[in-house]
Amino acid sequence: MKDIIVFNALFYIILYFSPSSFIELFAIGTLSLSNAVLIPASIIWGFMADRMDRKKQILISFAGVSIPLIMMPFMRNVPLITLNYALITFMSTASTTPFNLLVMESAEKKHWGSLFSRFSLFSSIGVLLGLIVSTFLVILLRIDQIEEILGFSVLVTLIASIKILPNPIITFERAAIIHHKESFLTRMRHLPMMFLHLPNIHHFKMFSMARLFRKPINYIPLLYLGIVLFYISSGIFNTVYPAGLYVKGLNKSEVLAVISVGMVFQILGFRISSTLLENKDEKVLAHISLILRGMSYIILGIFAQLFLGIPILISGLIFYPLAAGIAYAIFYSSSTTLIFKIVGERRQGTGLGVYSTVVGISLFVGSLLSGYITHYISYGIDFIIAGIILLTASWIFRYLEEG
């Protein structure tokens, strides 16, 4: 498991160069297409994770990222750059589900939360290092030189992964699927008949609103609803927060300081959540973290609505690390652990792929909403709305009761 965590951290260091390096080349359409590609990519690669070797899929992902990066300097117009970046997004998504599945296979269920927190801890360290290094690289080197460095760095990582990345564990569920197929074929040979049932209104009662408020059958839909609200809120806030800091009077160095402090606290948050998840219930931790994140958003919104300059910097250095650092790390670890537990023994890749798709759609919806809110109202109200949504999600997690 340690190899997986270190390896994933290295991969995030490499990938995080890209946004800073390409920022002058990408128009809004480029990033929008990348976000749109992320949605089908999650379900496609999740589906593939159930049908191919997970290590091979991770290697394919690295190869699919390195080649477009190496070729990026030869893209001389915006459409080609847009398509190439979308390809990088699509291929980088291929490694997400296999990494999560390897976490699940590396420990007993009771340790999933702690192990996933450690996994995310090293990922966050990689993101922070990438953010810092990329800030200096764009000053010292041309964009095309950075792109080549990135491409060959991922290529070196691909070669190293052949040795250091652990092979997936063959679990009982795969043998059970084979046995299931054999049983089905034997049954069909002895009794070659199938009876079809026409659907009726009772088959759709699981979608009724009455069931949504009836414990414990509402556990899974409410869990997904709470997670959807969290990521819609994150899309509303994160899409415009850096721009909001500029509008409210901060310079580039101050914005970078706020974001960097947030990442430092996120690393600390994952370290804390690793310990908490060994002793506390995931639903309780998710509930508390959503309250902390929601209140932090609301306070940031109030400051953005009333002040400019130094008060914005001070509030950002205090409440953004609480929201994007501590609260995010605890919620992300606890909610992902809850999803791991309901995926089941079969079609795990597809289940996690569906989850990633839901997350992608929620973030995309939140991003669209943030544009309208900030354009027609203000940044402060945008942050406050995001906080209120999180407080609503916190009530859902408090209400959750597992069957």
Side-chain angles (χ1 to χ4, degrees):
M1 184 59 220
K2 184 178 178 180
D3 288 339
I4 300 176
I5 295 174
V6 175
F7 189 77
N8 192 59
L10 175 60
F11 186 50
Y12 269 96
I13 291 172
I14 295 168
L15 285 186
Y16 205 83
F17 287 129
S18 303
S20 306
S21 307
F22 301 154
I23 194 67
E24 296 180 357
L25 295 177
F26 286 151
I28 295 175
T30 303
L31 298 178
S32 299
L33 178 60
S34 177
N35 289 333
V37 166
L38 186 63
I39 296 170
S42 297
I43 188 65
I44 290 171
W45 289 115
F47 180 83
M48 292 300 297
D50 285 326
R51 286 158 177 79
M52 66 183 299
D53 184 279
R54 291 161 190 172
K55 180 175 179 178
K56 289 180 180 178
Q57 184 168 328
I58 294 172
L59 297 180
I60 290 172
S61 175
F62 293 157
V65 171
S66 64
I67 294 173
L69 277 173
I70 292 173
M71 297 301 297
M72 187 68 83
F74 302 99
M75 306 296 161
R76 299 299 183 184
N77 56 63
V78 172
L80 286 178
I81 293 173
T82 300
L83 292 174
N84 204 39
Y85 190 74
L87 177 60
I88 293 172
T89 301
F90 181 82
M91 295 306 300
S92 65
T93 307
S95 63
T96 302
T97 298
F99 268 129
N100 288 336
L101 291 173
L102 287 176
V103 171
M104 295 173 66
E105 293 177 350
S106 299
E108 299 177 13
K109 181 180 292 188
K110 64 180 180 179
H111 297 304
W112 281 354
S114 173
L115 203 58
F116 190 79
S117 295
R118 290 172 54 204
F119 177 77
S120 302
L121 166 67
F122 282 90
S123 298
S124 298
I125 292 174
V127 172
L128 177 61
L129 292 176
L131 175 64
I132 295 172
V133 174
S134 63
T135 302
F136 293 101
L137 276 182
V138 294
I139 298 174
L140 301 175
L141 300 174
R142 299 193 312 270
I143 291 176
D144 60 334
Q145 293 174 324
I146 297 174
E147 292 163 351
E148 291 295 320
I149 292 173
L150 294 178
F152 284 106
S153 297
V154 179
L155 190 60
V156 171
T157 306
L158 168 65
I159 296 171
S161 69
I162 298 174
K163 175 66 176 177
I164 68 175
L165 193 66
N167 290 309
I169 300 170
I170 300 177
T171 60
F172 174 77
E173 89 190 60
R174 297 192 178 183
I177 291 174
I178 296 174
H179 294 160
H180 177 72
K181 291 179 180 178
E182 291 176 347
S183 300
F184 175 75
L185 293 175
T186 302
R187 183 263 183 198
M188 289 300 295
R189 282 196 296 268
H190 285 83
L191 183 63
M193 298 177 64
M194 295 185 67
F195 299 93
L196 300 178
H197 296 272
L198 296 178
N200 59 62
I201 191 64
H202 298 292
H203 294 149
F204 297 93
K205 63 182 180 180
M206 64 178 294
F207 298 105
S208 68
M209 291 298 294
R211 291 172 63 93
L212 194 61
F213 297 97
R214 190 178 304 164
K215 298 180 180 181
I217 57 176
N218 60 357
Y219 175 76
I220 292 178
L222 281 181
L223 173 61
Y224 270 94
L225 178 60
I227 291 173
V228 165
L229 289 177
F230 171 82
Y231 284 105
I232 288 177
S233 171
S234 296
I236 291 174
F237 181 86
N238 293 331
T239 301
V240 297
Y241 183 63
L245 293 178
Y246 285 116
V247 170
K248 293 299 176 177
L250 302 192
N251 58 41
K252 291 183 179 180
S253 298
E254 291 169 336
V255 172
L256 178 62
V258 171
I259 302 301
S260 298
V261 171
M263 288 305 306
V264 170
F265 273 78
Q266 187 178 113
I267 294 169
L268 178 62
F270 279 120
R271 183 68 185 88
I272 295 172
S273 64
S274 177
T275 302
L276 289 176
L277 285 167
E278 287 287 339
N279 306 306
K280 301 291 184 180
D281 182 77
E282 294 91 353
K283 298 186 291 295
V284 174
L285 291 175
H287 167 67
I288 295 173
S289 65
L290 285 171
I291 293 176
L292 176 60
R293 186 173 171 93
M295 292 305 300
S296 297
Y297 278 5
I298 290 172
I299 293 172
L300 288 171
I302 293 173
F303 270 82
Q305 198 70 14
L306 300 177
F307 302 105
L308 291 171
I310 297 299
I312 299 298
L313 175 61
I314 295 174
S315 63
L317 290 173
I318 295 173
F319 294 103
Y320 181 74
L322 291 178
I326 303 295
Y328 172 80
I330 295 175
F331 178 83
Y332 184 68
S333 299
S334 56
S335 63
T336 305
T337 303
L338 290 171
I339 291 295
F340 280 3
K341 290 181 177 180
I342 67 171
V343 165
E345 296 297 327
R346 299 183 180 181
R347 298 173 63 87
Q348 294 173 331
T350 302
L352 292 178
V354 170
Y355 168 67
S356 298
T357 303
V358 169
V359 169
I361 293 173
S362 303
L363 287 171
F364 187 65
V365 170
S367 297
L368 292 178
L369 291 174
S370 68
Y372 285 100
I373 295 170
T374 54
H375 178 74
Y376 290 105
I377 308 179
S378 67
Y379 285 96
I381 298 301
D382 179 272
F383 303 161
I384 292 173
I385 290 174
I388 293 172
I389 293 174
L390 286 176
L391 294 181
T392 304
S394 72
W395 176 84
I396 292 176
F397 275 90
R398 182 181 181 182
Y399 180 80
L400 276 180
E401 182 177 307
E402 188 172 1

